[in-house]
C-alpha cells in the first residue's frame, strides 16, 4: 500500500523528461526594499514530557548556537505565557528566565531582531468576553523588565495574543475582546515609556484565504501597529501552483502606507484534496513514531521535498513584498499537542534526541539547509528585485542585493528535472554556487554547508544554463563570508 501511495505521488508530477525554462533577474527594478530578515520560531521548551522533567546542559545550548550560526537568522519569534509567571498575584520574571536568557542572549549578541509575544492563555475569558487587566499589564511590565533591566534591546516587536481570529485562540475569534486587550497592553507600554523601543506587531491572523483581510483593515484603523504580520499553513499544491502569492497579496495590500508586513509563522500542511496522498503518508509516519503528534506534525521534515516547498514559500513571500519570514519551527522539543509526550514535529531537529526521544532525532534534517541558505544570504537591509519566469510553473526565482553584493536563487519544486537558463543584465564575478538537492549537499560537518563550486563567473547577459534535478534549490552569490 505504501509503495502504491508513493508511486501515485510521483505520477502526480509527471515523468522524467527534461524541459527548458528561462529565469530573468532584473536588478534595475526593486520590488521590496529594506528586508528585515528570515528566521524561525524559538520558544521556551516544554521540558516535562510526562516522564520526568528534563534540563538543558550548556553543551546543548551551544550546539543550537553553532547550528544557528550557519543559518545567520535576522528575525526570530519568541512566544511565552505571562500567566505562568504569576506567583500569588505578582509577576515572577525569573520563573522561566534561564531558557529566555539563553534564547535572548543569542539574539542580542548576533544582532537578531526579536518578535517577542504572549500566547495569551490565562489573560482572557472568551465566554464572558473579559480579560484580566492586571495580567495584561504584567505582560507589558515583563517585556519592560527584559529590555530595560536585562538589556535585551534585540526585542524590537511585541505580539499580544497568538492568532486571535482562531477558535483555538484564547480570544476565540472575538475581535472586540482582542482589540480591547491589546489596547490595554499598549497603554501600559506607553506608561512604561517603551513605545520607542518596542513596537506592536499584529494582527497575527491565521489565514488560509483572503477572507480575514477585513479584520486586518479594521485593526489597522484602531490599533497603532509598528509592524504587521500574518500566519499561514498553506497546502503544498497551493504553494507550488502560485496560488499562495495571490492569497497573501491581499494582506500586503491592506497594510497602511509606510508600514511593513512579515510572515510571522509559516509551515505547510496537506489540507487540499490534491494533497490527500501526502496527508495519508504524513499520518502513517506520525503513527509509526511513539512521540509524534497525530494532530499536529509535519512528517515530511525528513524529506528534501519539504526544503524545496518551504523555499517556495519564502521566495513567493519575499517577491510579494513581505519583509521577513519566520519558519514554524526550530525544534520539536518545544511543544507537544494531544498529550505531553506527543510532540509537534515540525523542527530542524530535536535537541533532546539523545537524552530522551532517540539519538536520530537530534540530527539536522534536510530542510534546515534550504532555509538556512535563504536566510544567510538575505541579510537585514537587503533589497529584493524583480524576477520573471518563462516556461515551467514549477520553477521559481529570487534576486537579492545588499551593499553591492548579490544573490540569485532558482528553485525547481517538481520531481521532474528542469533545464533552466538564467538571464539578466549583469555579470556576477567570483561567486559561489550552493546546491540543495538529495545527494548534492557539500557538508564539512553536520551543520555547515560548503559551496559546490567557488570563484565562478555568472554571465547572465549571455545566459547561464543549468540542469536542475527534481526538488532542488540552486543559489549563486558573491557575499563575503
Amino acid at each position: 500500500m505504501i509503495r502504491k501511495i508513493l508511486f501515485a505521488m510521483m505520477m502526480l508530477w509527471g515523468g522524467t523528461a527534461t524541459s527548458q525554462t528561462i529565469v530573468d533577474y532584473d536588478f534595475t527594478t526593486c520590488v521590496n526594499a529594506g528586508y528585515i530578515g528570515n528566521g524561525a520560531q524559538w520558544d521556551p521548551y516544554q521540558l516535562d514530557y510526562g516522564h520526568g522533567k528534563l534540563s538543558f546542559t550548556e553543551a546543548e545550548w551551544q550546539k543550537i548556537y553553532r547550528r544557528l550560526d550557519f543559518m545567520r537568522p535576522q528575525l526570530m519569534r519568541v512566544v511565552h505565557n505571562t500567566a505562568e509567571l504569576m506567583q500569588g498575584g505578582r509577576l515572577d520574571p525569573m520563573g522561566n528566565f534561564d531558557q529566555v536568557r539563553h534564547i535572548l542572549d543569542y539574539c542580542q549578541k548576533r544582532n537578531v531582531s526579536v518578535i517577542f509575544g504572549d500566547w495569551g492563555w490565562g489573560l482572557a475569558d472568551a465566554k464572558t468576553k473579559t480579560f484580566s487587566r492586571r495580567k495584561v499589564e504584567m505582560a507589558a511590565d515583563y517585556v519592560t523588565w527584559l529590555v530595560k533591566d536585562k538589556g535585551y534591546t534585540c526585542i524590537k516587536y511585541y505580539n499580544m495574543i497568538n492568532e486571535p481570529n482562531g477558535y483555538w485562540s484564547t480570544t476565540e475569534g472575538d475581535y472586540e475582546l482582542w482589540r480591547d486587550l491589546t489596547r490595554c497592553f499598549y497603554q501600559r507600554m506607553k506608561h512604561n515609556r517603551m513605545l520607542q523601543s518596542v513596537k506592536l506587531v499584529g494582527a497575527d491572523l491565521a489565514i488560509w484565504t483572503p477572507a480575514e483581510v477585513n479584520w486586518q483593515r479594521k485593526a489597522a484603523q484602531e490599533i497603532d501597529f509598528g509592524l504587521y504580520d500574518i500566519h499561514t499553513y498553506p497546502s503544498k499544491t497551493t504553494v507550488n501552483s502560485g496560488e499562495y502569492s495571490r492569497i497573501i497579496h491581499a494582506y500586503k495590500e491592506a497594510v497602511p502606507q509606510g508600514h511593513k508586513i512579515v510572515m510571522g509563522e509559516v509551515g505547510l500542511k496537506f489540507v487540499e484534496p490534491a494533497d490527500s496522498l501526502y496527508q495519508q503518508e504524513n499520518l502513517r509516519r506520525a503513527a509509526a513514531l511513539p512521540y509524534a503528534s497525530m494532530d499536529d506534525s509535519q512528517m515530511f521534515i525528513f524529506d528534501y521535498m519539504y526544503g524545496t516547498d518551504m523555499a517556495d514559500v519564502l521566495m513567493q513571500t519575499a517577491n510579494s513584498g513581505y519583509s521577513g519570514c519566520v519558519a514554524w519551527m526550530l525544534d520539536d522539543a518545544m511543544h507537544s499537542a494531544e498529550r505531553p509526550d506527543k510532540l509537534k514535529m515540525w523542527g530542524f531537529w530535536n535537541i533532546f534526541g539523545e537524552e530522551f526521544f532517540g539519538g536520530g532525532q537530534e540530527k539536522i534534517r534536510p530542510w534546515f539547509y534550504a532555509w538556512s541558505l535563504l536566510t544567510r544570504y538575505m541579510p537585514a537591509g537587503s533589497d529584493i528585485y524583480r524576477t520573471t519566469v518563462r516556461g515551467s510553473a514549477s520553477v521559481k526565482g529570487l534576486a537579492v542585493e545588499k551593499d553591492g553584493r548579490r544573490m540569485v536563487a532558482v528553485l525547481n519544486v517538481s520531481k521532474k528535472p528542469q533545464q533552466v537558463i538564467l538571464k539578466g543584465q549583469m555579470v556576477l564575478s567570483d561567486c559561489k554556487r550552493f546546491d540543495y538537492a538529495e545527494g548534492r549537499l557539500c557538508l564539512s560537518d553536520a551543520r555547515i554547508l560548503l559551496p559546490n563550486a567557488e570563484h565562478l563567473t555568472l554571465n547572465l547577459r549571455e545566459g547561464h544554463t543549468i540542469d536542475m534535478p527534481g526538488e532542488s534549490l540552486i543559489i549563486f552569490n558573491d557575499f563575503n563570508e
Side-chain angles (χ1 to χ4, degrees), residues 2-12:
I2 296 170
R3 289 182 178 178
K4 289 181 179 179
I5 291 174
L6 294 176
F7 177 75
M9 288 191 287
M10 290 286 288
M11 293 303 293
L12 286 173

Side-chain angles (χ1 to χ4, degrees), residues 406-423:
R406 291 172 172 172
M407 182 266 282
V408 295
V410 58
L411 174 70
N412 175 22
V413 296
S414 169
K415 294 186 183 295
K416 184 171 65 175
Q418 303 279 345
Q419 187 175 83
V420 181
I421 303 174
L422 311 183
K423 289 189 174 182

Side-chain angles (χ1 to χ4, degrees), residues 154-360:
C154 58
I155 300 176
K156 304 296 185 184
Y157 311 101
Y158 196 97
N159 167 213
M160 175 47 73
I161 307 299
N162 181 68
E163 300 176 356
N165 62 314
Y167 66 83
W168 55 89
S169 173
T170 187
T171 51
E172 297 182 11
D174 187 321
Y175 174 84
E176 285 76 19
L177 176 59
W178 166 77
R179 177 200 62 200
D180 294 346
L181 187 156
T182 303
R183 282 174 167 175
C184 175
F185 177 84
Y186 179 90
Q187 288 302 320
R188 186 66 171 190
M189 292 288 279
K190 183 177 181 179
H191 174 270
N192 292 349
R193 299 182 179 179
M194 286 291 293
L195 295 180
Q196 293 301 313
S197 303
V198 179
K199 306 294 185 183
L200 279 185
V201 58
D204 209 60
L205 305 176
I207 69 101
W208 285 267
T209 71
E212 303 291 330
V213 75
N214 286 333
W215 178 307
Q216 180 171 299
R217 287 198 183 102
K218 190 174 182 180
Q221 295 171 353
E222 299 189 308
I223 299 173
D224 184 14
F225 288 116
L227 179 69
Y228 288 81
D229 86 313
I230 59 171
H231 297 180
T232 186
Y233 287 84
S235 202
K236 175 180 172 64
T237 188
T238 304
V239 174
N240 294 163
S241 68
E243 175 67 8
Y244 172 77
S245 290
R246 186 191 70 82
I247 293 169
I248 66 172
H249 178 74
Y251 296 89
K252 173 65 173 69
E253 288 297 292
V255 171
Q257 188 173 3
H259 288 73
K260 294 179 182 293
I261 185 171
V262 298
M263 188 62 65
E265 190 179 306
V266 67
L268 271 79
K269 291 186 175 182
F270 306 118
V271 295
E272 294 293 334
D275 291 332
S276 60
L277 293 178
Y278 287 108
Q279 178 63 358
Q280 289 179 40
E281 176 64 7
N282 190 58
L283 293 174
R284 185 199 70 80
R285 293 183 185 188
L289 279 179
Y291 297 113
S293 165
M294 291 286 289
D295 293 341
D296 193 359
S297 288
Q298 172 50 270
M299 302 307 295
F300 280 81
I301 51 177
F302 299 98
D303 294 44
Y304 280 77
M305 179 189 81
Y306 195 67
T308 50
D309 284 345
M310 285 296 284
D312 198 358
V313 164
L314 194 158
M315 291 165 71
Q316 288 187 53
T317 301
N319 282 330
S320 296
Y322 284 65
S323 295
C325 208
V326 177
W328 179 267
M329 58 184 184
L330 187 77
D331 195 321
D332 293 348
M334 295 191 304
H335 300 293
S336 64
E338 53 266 43
R339 66 177 199 239
D341 62 350
K342 288 293 185 178
L343 301 179
K344 296 185 178 186
M345 293 189 64
W346 289 82
F348 297 120
W349 55 73
N350 183 329
I351 198 61
F352 291 133
E354 293 179 1
E355 291 80 1
F356 190 71
F357 295 104

